[in-house]
């Protein structure tokens, strides 16, 4: 966010916190002066975000909504942030979500997305639903979290480029958490400008 938007009129930058959970990113973006939108499928999560924002007299447009049923206008957001939300789906739904994101981004808009790699502890455990997608994971940080799709770098790049994203940059991060390995892809991508 700092690299791309801090030198601009932040209030004019519309940012969507995609699957905001408890609202850490929503809070940060609002505190930094962006025009913030956020949704989550959990009513209690959105209630927590409201309380957090009210406590600090910050604002954001919040909704309870399923990620596959986005009702935002096409070409609306300057930036969409997915901090490890989309990974928790089967491959078909992952592609649908990225397609919906592409539609609601403005031309030149940016996607910032974080996903788990196949180098993460727990990969290959539990019940395999399809290639690289598991549920009932039995170890690691993702144990007990429901469906998890573990990405390969080329797969992630291909999904985004097939949808139409350009300037795709994939950075890798790997760390340990209580002895378990967490591998993540931190991705930036842009919706192209029409000629």
């Amino acid at each position: 966010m700092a690299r791309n938007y801090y030198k601009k009129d932040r209030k004019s930058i519309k940012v969507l916190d995609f699957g905001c959970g408890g609202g850490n990113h929503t809070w940060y973006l609002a505190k930094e002066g962006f025009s913030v939108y956020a949704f989550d499928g959990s009513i209690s999560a959105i209630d927590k975000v409201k309380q957090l924002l009210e406590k600090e007299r910050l604002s954001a447009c919040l909704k309870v909504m399923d990620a596959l049923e986005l009702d935002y206008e096409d070409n609306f957001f300057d930036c969409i942030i997915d901090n490890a939300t989309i990974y928790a789906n089967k491959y078909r739904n992952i592609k649908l979500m990225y397609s919906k994101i592409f539609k609601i981004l403005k031309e030149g808009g940016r996607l910032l997305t974080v996903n788990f790699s196949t180098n993460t502890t727990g990969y290959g455990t539990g019940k395999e639903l399809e290639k690289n997608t598991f549920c009932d994971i039995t170890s690691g940080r993702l144990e007990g979290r429901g469906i998890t799709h573990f990405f390969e770098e080329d797969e992630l790049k291909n999904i985004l480029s097939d949808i139409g994203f350009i300037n795709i940059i994939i950075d890798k991060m790997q760390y340990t958490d209580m002895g378990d390995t967490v591998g993540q892809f931190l991705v930036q991508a842009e919706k192209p400008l029409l000629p």
Side-chain angles (χ1 to χ4, degrees), residues 4-13 34 110:
N4 295 297
Y5 299 110
Y6 270 25
K7 292 181 181 177
K8 297 183 178 181
D9 174 17
R10 295 183 202 178
K11 200 66 190 160
S12 71
I13 305 295
F34 292 99
R110 292 183 179 273

Side-chain angles (χ1 to χ4, degrees), residues 87-91 94 116-139 142-152:
Y87 83 91
N89 289 277
K90 288 185 177 179
Y91 186 78
I94 288 167
F116 295 98
S117 77
T118 55
N119 292 330
T120 300
T121 299
Y123 171 73
T125 69
K127 179 180 175 187
E128 185 173 15
L129 303 176
E130 58 193 13
K131 183 182 179 191
N132 293 338
T133 307
F134 300 86
C135 67
D136 304 323
I137 293 167
T138 60
S139 63
L142 299 169
E143 180 181 354
R145 289 223 194 155
I147 296 174
T148 297
H149 183 83
F150 297 89
F151 284 87
E152 297 170 6

Side-chain angles (χ1 to χ4, degrees), residues 31-144:
K31 193 162 183 71
E32 290 297 314
F34 292 99
S35 181
V36 185
Y37 297 74
F39 77 89
D40 199 273
S42 165
I43 294 170
S44 62
I46 292 297
D47 286 343
K48 287 178 186 174
V49 178
K50 283 180 186 172
Q51 291 171 16
L52 177 65
L53 295 175
E54 286 171 4
K55 183 178 174 184
E56 296 201 32
R57 295 189 178 135
L58 299 170
S59 66
C61 297
L62 305 174
K63 289 186 178 186
V64 176
M65 182 169 44
D66 186 281
L68 288 169
E69 298 171 355
L70 299 180
D71 63 359
Y72 299 107
E73 295 175 41
D74 290 356
N75 305 306
F76 186 75
F77 292 105
D78 297 284
C79 182
I80 297 176
I81 297 172
D82 156 46
N83 186 33
T85 296
I86 292 175
Y87 83 91
N89 289 277
K90 288 185 177 179
Y91 186 78
R92 179 181 179 277
N93 288 342
I94 288 167
K95 286 174 65 177
L96 280 171
M97 287 180 202
Y98 281 129
S99 293
K100 288 178 181 284
I101 284 171
F102 188 84
K103 285 180 69 174
I104 62 177
L105 270 175
K106 292 178 181 176
E107 291 176 27
R110 292 183 179 273
L111 165 66
L112 307 175
T113 183
V114 177
N115 289 290
F116 295 98
S117 77
T118 55
N119 292 330
T120 300
T121 299
Y123 171 73
T125 69
K127 179 180 175 187
E128 185 173 15
L129 303 176
E130 58 193 13
K131 183 182 179 191
N132 293 338
T133 307
F134 300 86
C135 67
D136 304 323
I137 293 167
T138 60
S139 63
R141 183 175 170 200
L142 299 169
E143 180 181 354

